[in-house]
Amino acid sequence: MAVTTSAHTLPPEAVRERIEAGQARLRALLPGLTEAGIREPSELPGWSRAHVLAHIEGIGLAMARQARHALRGELIEPYDGGRPARAAGIEAGSRRDAAALGRAVAAALDEASAAWAAVGPADWSRPVHYRDGDLRTALLCWWRELEIHLVDAGMGHGPQDWPRELCHHLLDHLAPRAPHGLHLVLEATDEPSARPFGPQGAPTVTVRGPLTALTAWMAGRAPGRPLDCRRAGATVPLPELLDWP
């Protein structure tokens, strides 16, 4: 079964290929980790680069765990102990030195690759506990988390590097963030693409910019490029987005 967005139909195997490419980008950066570097602030308020890397490690293992158990016909929480254990794991993981942190992230990427490689074409609809979804749901979660948090780590990879298919998927996934009471239209300046959100009869706010910049804004990240926001032809500030879905 394919992963469908408004512009692309991407088979899960193709999603997995893009994840492997993202993991390769992260792997290439791990040998360059330094003690000073991992203590620097990340793009996420209150988190160091080490916190972000520990989170990538944790979510990679959590989604791999969903895959391993789903193939055995079992449902299991992404994290033993739920969100408190997740938070504690990130905090503890962030205290490791650069070498240990790099090894742990590399090991998590190895496990993620192995777990998802074991999923066959007939397995994608197997249920998982994560969001009461299926293996496609968990695979897409790992894609989003890997790519977004690689940007958050501030290691030279930015939203401008996101694959276009990921941008389209993210815009679908983040539709619930569109503000209430507005008809929000995102117009990409680098492709014939317009994304409407919200009721047609509401006041229209149009935001224009490159696809990756629009996606970064919807994801709560710095667009990196100016966005043009207009209402009734007049320039207005970007609207406040709702919570992450």
Side-chain angles (χ1 to χ4, degrees), residues 140-154:
L140 287 168
C141 170
W142 176 222
W143 194 23
R144 294 191 300 268
E145 295 282 333
L146 174 67
E147 292 286 357
I148 289 173
H149 291 307
L150 184 51
V151 168
D152 292 336

Side-chain angles (χ1 to χ4, degrees), residues 145-198:
E145 295 282 333
L146 174 67
E147 292 286 357
I148 289 173
H149 291 307
L150 184 51
V151 168
D152 292 336
M155 298 168 68
H157 184 73
Q160 71 277 2
D161 300 309
W162 284 343
R164 303 188 81 76
E165 299 95 340
L166 174 69
C167 291
H168 286 288
H169 165 63
L170 283 173
L171 290 177
D172 287 341
H173 180 73
L174 297 171
R177 299 203 74 199
H180 293 315
L182 290 177
H183 180 62
L184 176 66
V185 179
L186 304 183
E187 291 187 356
T189 55
D190 51 352
E191 68 172 46
S193 170
R195 289 292 189 102
F197 303 92

Side-chain angles (χ1 to χ4, degrees), residues 67-126:
R68 295 289 197 192
H69 283 266
L71 292 178
R72 296 199 291 264
E74 301 169 356
L75 297 178
I76 191 168
E77 290 274 2
Y79 296 88
D80 281 330
R83 293 191 71 83
R86 168 187 173 274
I90 292 169
E91 190 60 40
S94 73
R95 299 193 195 106
R96 291 171 293 193
D97 62 38
L101 181 61
R103 288 193 298 270
V105 174
L109 297 178
D110 288 344
E111 168 58 10
S113 292
W116 289 111
V119 179
D123 294 321
W124 293 109
S125 60
R126 287 177 178 265

